Amino acid sequence: GAGVSQTPSNKVTEKGKYVELRCDPISGHTALYWYRQSLGQGPEFLIYFQGTGAADDSGLPNDRFFAVRPEGSVSTLKIQRTERGDSAVYLCASSLGVAGANVLTFGAGSRLTVL
Amino acid sequence: SQQGEEDPQALSIQEGENATMNCSYKTSINNLQWYRQNSGRGLVHLILIRSNEREKHSGRLRVTLDTSKKSSSLLITASRAADTASYFCATDAGNQFYFGTGTSLTVIP
């Protein structure tokens, strides 16, 4: 596609439920990033994929968060046993993956609200 | 934790004036980028400056980088109401990008 697509755009769930957020990056972009942004804050790094593998998952807050990118394209961020503190906008970005000149293209985000 | 910190946190100016926002960061970088975010939308890349560059221009944007002070500034000249947005610096240390806390710019028509 022409841009980074994220679905759903909005998700409201109850505490304790399981949530999946999907990111479809720009075709040909090998690098994919997930960020979380709370109101009034900057994007907080969660995880970075280069191809199919998670090159850096040091930003995942705890083991309730997991992300996959099985075919090196679409990625899914999975949150188990959601908590109210997980409420935020989850941003996905992709880039060509060329070290030293990476520019991120962001999706519009998935707004998660945990009641 | 976030790598960078922008200052001021909020800035309000009249249309036509220049807007300057600053970014400080903590560790060595390969390059520094500035992004813009309109309310409720994703971030859009504005400009990239490499660690061996000191100044870069793009249209009404001027970015400076001082690696000895670990700081950067973004100048928007002749501001327009459409420039109203949040602006973030992002540092690239390897393949990770860390964003600052952002400057919220309001341009009053």
Side-chain angles (χ1 to χ4, degrees):
Chain A
V4 177
S5 175
Q6 291 190 246
T7 55
S9 55
N10 276 288
K11 176 69 177 179
V12 179
T13 191
E14 294 179 343
K15 182 184 171 198
K17 298 291 188 183
Y18 170 80
V19 166
E20 286 191 355
L21 307 176
R22 174 188 167 108
C23 173
D24 198 344
I26 291 175
S27 178
H29 279 194
T30 61
L32 185 146
Y33 302 77
W34 283 99
Y35 288 85
R36 178 170 70 175
Q37 187 176 26
S38 300
L39 189 64
Q41 299 294 313
E44 175 191 6
F45 171 77
L46 295 178
I47 187 170
Y48 154 63
F49 288 90
Q50 182 64 259
T52 60
D56 185 344
D57 64 358
S58 63
L60 295 177
N62 51 60
D63 61 7
R64 295 186 298 105
F65 288 74
F66 190 70
V68 295
R69 194 187 186 198
E71 298 177 356
S73 178
V74 172
S75 176
T76 304
L77 178 65
K78 308 180 181 193
I79 311 174
Q80 298 178 321
R81 304 183 304 280
T82 53
E83 300 177 355
R84 292 194 180 88
D86 299 335
S87 296
V89 176
Y90 289 82
L91 296 167
C92 176
S94 68
S95 76
L96 283 171
V98 177
N102 273 325
V103 170
L104 298 180
T105 301
F106 280 85
S110 292
R111 180 178 299 277
L112 174 65
T113 302
V114 182
L115 301 177
Chain B
S1 62
Q2 289 172 306
Q3 156 83 303
E5 188 171 315
E6 285 88 345
D7 132 74
Q9 289 188 342
L11 179 61
S12 183
I13 59 174
Q14 295 289 329
E15 198 166 34
E17 292 181 338
N18 295 342
T20 300
M21 50 205 89
N22 304 294
C23 166
S24 58
Y25 57 92
K26 298 174 184 173
T27 62
S28 298
I29 60 173
N30 295 323
N31 60 61
L32 184 143
Q33 302 179 40
W34 285 89
Y35 286 79
R36 164 199 169 120
Q37 184 177 37
N38 287 83
S39 180
R41 307 286 295 273
L43 283 79
V44 175
H45 176 261
L46 293 176
I47 193 166
L48 178 153
I49 185 166
R50 300 182 192 277
S51 60
N52 62 354
E53 296 176 313
R54 292 297 168 257
E55 186 171 315
K56 198 161 185 180
H57 297 254
S58 176
R60 293 185 297 114
L61 305 180
R62 172 180 169 248
V63 170
T64 63
L65 178 65
D66 186 336
T67 53
S68 66
K69 295 181 179 178
K70 292 186 169 57
S71 67
S72 173
S73 68
L74 171 68
L75 168 68
I76 304 174
T77 61
S79 64
R80 305 167 181 168
D83 294 330
T84 294
S86 291
Y87 292 82
F88 297 90
C89 66
T91 51
D92 172 2
N95 285 313
Q96 294 179 14
F97 293 80
Y98 290 98
F99 286 81
T101 50
T103 292
S104 176
L105 173 66
T106 301
V107 181
I108 302 165

